[in-house]
Amino acid sequence: SNLTIIIEDIEFVLMPRGYLLNGEDLDREFADSCIFGIMPLPIPVGQMKMFLLGDTFLRSYYSVFDFDN
């Protein structure tokens, strides 16, 4: 099913093809596996649990980086 990530009250919906990775793309040993592409970070920030979204998230959404600000 779809995964909804909320960042500053904005909902980002990822379909399974956006957050599940083909294990074989990582290593032949995982050829029959699918891997969840979002990683929880081991140390919370205050009371919040943090996640590394990385390219799994970025490839589903157009990203603009404002280097001047």
Side-chain angles (χ1 to χ4, degrees), residues 11 36-37 40:
E11 291 187 1
F36 187 63

Side-chain angles (χ1 to χ4, degrees), residues 26-47:
L26 302 174
D27 190 308
R28 282 191 213 154
E29 178 181 342
F30 303 113
D32 295 326
S33 302
C34 65
I35 297 171
F36 187 63
I38 296 173
M39 176 183 274
L41 297 177
I43 301 171
V45 175
Q47 297 290 327

Side-chain angles (χ1 to χ4, degrees), residues 10-68:
I10 299 172
E11 291 187 1
F12 298 91
V13 178
L14 295 173
M15 293 185 287
R17 69 172 184 243
Y19 64 85
L20 295 176
L21 306 173
N22 182 347
E24 189 172 24
D25 291 342
L26 302 174
D27 190 308
R28 282 191 213 154
E29 178 181 342
F30 303 113
D32 295 326
S33 302
C34 65
I35 297 171
F36 187 63
I38 296 173
M39 176 183 274
L41 297 177
I43 301 171
V45 175
Q47 297 290 327
M48 298 176 62
K49 188 164 189 166
M50 304 296 283
F51 294 85
L52 177 62
L53 302 176
D55 63 335
T56 301
F57 178 78
L58 292 175
R59 71 173 163 231
S60 296
Y61 286 93
Y62 182 78
S63 302
V64 175
F65 297 95
D66 184 358
F67 291 107
D68 292 331

